[in-house]
Amino acid sequence: MYFCSMETQRQRKIAGVIQKDIVDILQKAAIDGGLRNTLISVSKVSVTTDLSIAKIYLSIFPNEKSGELMEGIKSNQPLIKHELSQRTRNQLRRVPELLFYLDDSLDYIENIEKSLKREENPIENRDLLPKRKKS
């Protein structure tokens, strides 16, 4: 598995196609599953240079439901991949393996803003902010 920092035009195009279709698939599944007040968005898709793996970063609002939703999405990954292959059969020869990750950047930004409004300044004391996990 090789993720290159410089994406080719083909990688960007495939990532865009996957992002657009995954959003439709997940939102339709959420509505069909009875999750009316839940917003699932795909914040980023990155594809390996050999186009075999796609990392999909999801933002889920409200955050309380994100854990159980991510478990459901990961357990239904074969069904999601099949639906994606049906939608992209004229664009992609082979659908990459889908890896789903929770995008915590909005929470991280929110924690920074809350910290800046307090008396303790996280810029001067970096120990006030939790360390961010890299995925």
Side-chain angles (χ1 to χ4, degrees):
M1 163 167 69
Y2 179 67
F3 285 92
C4 182
S5 61
M6 282 294 298
E7 283 187 323
T8 64
Q9 181 68 26
R10 182 159 172 77
Q11 283 176 288
R12 283 192 297 272
K13 182 179 179 185
I14 289 173
V17 167
I18 291 172
Q19 184 172 6
K20 178 186 165 296
D21 287 330
I22 288 290
V23 166
D24 292 342
I25 292 167
L26 292 179
Q27 287 181 344
K28 182 179 181 293
I31 290 171
D32 292 347
L35 297 172
R36 297 264 183 238
N37 296 327
T38 303
L39 177 67
I40 302 172
S41 65
V42 178
S43 55
K44 183 180 178 185
V45 175
S46 58
V47 182
T48 55
T49 53
D50 63 354
L51 309 176
S52 64
I53 300 172
K55 282 187 170 183
I56 302 167
Y57 295 90
L58 303 174
S59 291
I60 300 172
F61 185 80
N63 294 335
E64 296 81 43
K65 299 179 182 181
S66 63
E68 68 182 72
L69 271 174
M70 283 302 291
E71 290 296 320
I73 289 169
K74 287 179 181 179
S75 66
N76 289 316
Q77 188 266 348
L79 296 171
I80 295 169
K81 184 176 179 177
H82 177 71
E83 178 68 25
L84 182 64
S85 70
Q86 295 299 311
R87 290 172 178 242
T88 61
R89 67 178 171 260
N90 295 328
Q91 297 164 316
L92 298 177
R93 252 184 242 159
R94 197 172 143 248
V95 175
E97 179 185 345
L98 306 177
L99 302 176
F100 292 97
Y101 298 95
L102 189 60
D103 184 10
D104 64 343
S105 59
L106 293 177
D107 296 333
Y108 189 71
I109 291 169
E110 185 177 328
N111 286 339
I112 290 173
E113 287 178 355
K114 285 181 183 176
S115 296
L116 289 173
K117 290 178 182 175
R118 293 190 307 209
E119 290 181 18
E120 302 96 17
N121 189 343
I123 294 172
E124 295 170 2
N125 184 3
R126 291 181 179 251
D127 295 333
L128 294 173
L129 290 176
K131 299 292 183 204
R132 189 165 179 201
K133 293 180 274 179
K134 295 203 176 201
S135 53

